[in-house]
Amino acid sequence: MTTEASAGGPRRTSEVTKAAILEAARERFASDGYERATIRAIARDAGIDPSMVMRYYGNKEGLFAAASEMDLGLPGLGRLPGKHIGAALVTHFLDRWEADDVLTALLRVGVTNPAGAERMRTIFAEQMIPVAAGVCPDPADAPRRAALVSSQILGMAIARYVLRFPPAVTMSRDEVVAWLAPTLQRYLTAEGA
Amino acid sequence: MTTEASAGGPRRTSEVTKAAILEAARERFASDGYERATIRAIARDAGIDPSMVMRYYGNKEGLFAAASEMDLGLPGLGRLPGKHIGAALVTHFLDRWEADDVLTALLRVGVTNPAGAERMRTIFAEQMIPVAAGVCPDPADAPRRAALVSSQILGMAIARYVLRFPPAVTMSRDEVVAWLAPTLQRYLTAEGA
DNA sequence: CTGGCATGTCAACACCTGTTGGCCTACAGT
DNA sequence: ACTGTAGGCCAACAGGTGTTGACATGCCAG
């Protein structure tokens, strides 16, 4: 896609190739999961030899680690209107989920691969709990509230983007936001326990 | 486990073997997913030769189809107290999820395998939508409401039993019920749209 | 002009997979 | 006693996997 005009020759810089590999890897991991996303297929998509993947990322696990690096971009929401934090969260995640394949790849791999699950736990601990801690009444509850929020978000993602339950796919963005926002709002800000 | 006293000999009936295979298959599919649950490993767990699996179930897909047959046992809930349907649903699913490995296997496989996803869609359509239709105000909304309910239940299952987010694992059954019941109640019975 | 390094390909290894067909053996019916 | 059949094992096939090392080739520095 981004073939630089300066070097019209057949040689490309390693950064370009590495980026192409990462993009192909994300697509394959997202659509096939860890086991069925073969290095050969990823290399073919990236237009290079499989051994290049090994050279740049060591092994398949290293490739996945690089391809699944993810910044949810949530901290900005911490200081938003506390009352509409639920709707903002749902909207943000729908955007993130449809922007690229990283979250879908993460979910598909996390469910069957131990390393993928560990990666998801890390993202949860480092990026979801702080958001909850910033808005919930008692910071000691933050982990539990973050888990509840994550469960609803992951569940909708599975139903809509992975298992493709027809009603979940058909629903409009606004409908999803309207239904889920109050749930997240309650999980984050409800008082008792 | 159930070695019959009548035939103390080395020979067992095919039904016993088939059941042993199914049990081993459910465990392997639940813990490893479709691709990494090898027929060789399943046969080893069942104490027989891999070729027996083929003889009884044709191929790996047939084995999964047999191992993932699932009756959620929900119809009984249809005529229960309409007000506490949310709590009853959460409790019921927590029971079902912890009773055996079938639901976990179904979820793990459904996320990476097309046939598994199709099986989940069928179960959703045949067993979840009718329940929603029986309790929600306008039966035309049943599919959407069932999808919302399923999203929250699947999400909690993933967080608690698959990805094992620590706070989701630590939460007691009663806590999970207390938090999720109002959500499901609203998804099923809320009036607007 | 000539090294050296970076980018890339090719061929192969060792292993594991689903799946198949042939062979053995103990039991039940006659 | 004999035989058919059901339950079971063994060895192998064909294909795909991650991974490795040797070899080629274009580019830039000296």
Side-chain angles (χ1 to χ4, degrees):
Chain A
M1 212 50 82
T2 49
T3 40
E4 35 195 45
S6 65
R11 213 51 164 284
R12 0 177 220 185
T13 163
S14 76
E15 297 307 318
V16 172
T17 301
K18 280 159 89 170
I21 293 175
L22 273 195
E23 193 185 326
R26 292 200 183 98
E27 282 178 21
R28 287 285 177 176
F29 282 135
S31 65
D32 298 344
Y34 189 82
E35 329 291 339
R36 300 180 21 186
T38 72
I39 289 191
R40 282 174 165 89
I42 291 169
R44 199 180 322 126
D45 291 355
I48 45 104
D49 189 87
S51 61
M52 294 300 290
V53 179
M54 310 302 296
R55 171 132 50 199
Y56 288 138
Y57 295 101
N59 54 24
K60 194 176 179 180
E61 264 199 54
L63 173 62
F64 172 73
S68 65
E69 234 155 85
M70 185 68 196
D71 180 10
L72 295 177
L74 289 174
L77 294 182
R79 56 179 63 207
L80 276 194
K83 245 185 152 181
H84 304 115
I85 181 77
L89 261 180
V90 183
T91 306
H92 182 85
F93 269 104
L94 286 176
D95 286 341
R96 265 285 186 271
W97 225 283
E98 290 168 2
D100 51 59
D101 305 298
V102 184
L103 276 178
T104 303
L106 220 33
L107 182 52
R108 273 225 166 86
V109 174
V111 166
T112 39
N113 185 271
E118 180 58 33
R119 168 66 56 121
M120 291 223 71
R121 281 192 292 266
T122 304
I123 291 177
F124 166 78
E126 292 178 354
Q127 305 193 45
M128 289 297 293
I129 294 185
V131 173
V135 290
C136 73
D138 179 2
D141 289 339
R144 225 170 332 175
R145 294 177 184 272
L148 289 161
V149 168
S150 303
S151 80
Q152 177 59 94
I153 286 171
L154 288 174
M156 177 52 75
I158 285 224
R160 190 175 166 94
Y161 302 117
V162 176
L163 298 180
R164 295 190 205 277
F165 288 172
V169 175
T170 307
M171 279 175 82
S172 72
R173 285 176 66 92
D174 291 348
E175 271 179 294
V176 176
V177 174
W179 278 106
L180 261 52
T183 300
L184 300 195
Q185 191 74 30
R186 184 168 64 84
Y187 288 163
L188 283 173
T189 64
E191 289 289 343
Chain B
M1 212 50 81
T2 51
T3 42
E4 35 193 49
S6 64
R11 215 47 165 287
R12 1 179 219 184
T13 164
S14 76
E15 296 308 317
V16 172
T17 301
K18 281 159 88 171
I21 294 174
L22 273 195
E23 194 186 325
R26 291 200 183 97
E27 282 178 22
R28 286 285 177 176
F29 282 135
S31 65
D32 298 342
Y34 189 83
E35 329 290 341
R36 301 183 17 188
T38 72
I39 289 191
R40 282 174 164 87
I42 292 168
R44 201 180 322 126
D45 290 355
I48 44 105
D49 189 87
S51 62
M52 296 299 291
V53 179
M54 310 302 294
R55 172 131 53 196
Y56 288 137
Y57 296 100
N59 54 25
K60 193 177 181 180
E61 265 200 53
L63 173 63
F64 173 73
S68 65
E69 235 156 84
M70 185 68 194
D71 181 9
L72 296 178
L74 290 174
L77 293 181
R79 56 179 62 207
L80 275 196
K83 247 186 152 180
H84 303 114
I85 182 76
L89 261 181
V90 183
T91 306
H92 182 85
F93 269 104
L94 286 176
D95 287 341
R96 264 286 186 272
W97 225 282
E98 290 168 2
D100 52 59
D101 305 297
V102 184
L103 276 178
T104 304
L106 221 33
L107 181 53
R108 273 223 166 88
V109 173
V111 166
T112 39
N113 184 272
E118 179 59 33
R119 168 65 58 120
M120 292 223 69
R121 281 192 292 267
T122 304
I123 292 178
F124 166 77
E126 293 179 353
Q127 304 193 44
M128 290 297 292
I129 294 185
V131 172
V135 291
C136 73
D138 180 2
D141 289 339
R144 224 170 333 176
R145 294 176 185 270
L148 290 162
V149 168
S150 303
S151 80
Q152 177 58 95
I153 286 171
L154 287 175
M156 177 51 76
I158 285 223
R160 190 174 166 95
Y161 302 119
V162 177
L163 297 180
R164 296 190 205 276
F165 288 172
V169 175
T170 307
M171 279 176 83
S172 72
R173 284 176 67 90
D174 292 348
E175 271 180 292
V176 175
V177 174
W179 278 105
L180 261 52
T183 301
L184 301 195
Q185 190 75 30
R186 184 168 66 83
Y187 288 162
L188 283 172
T189 65
E191 290 289 344

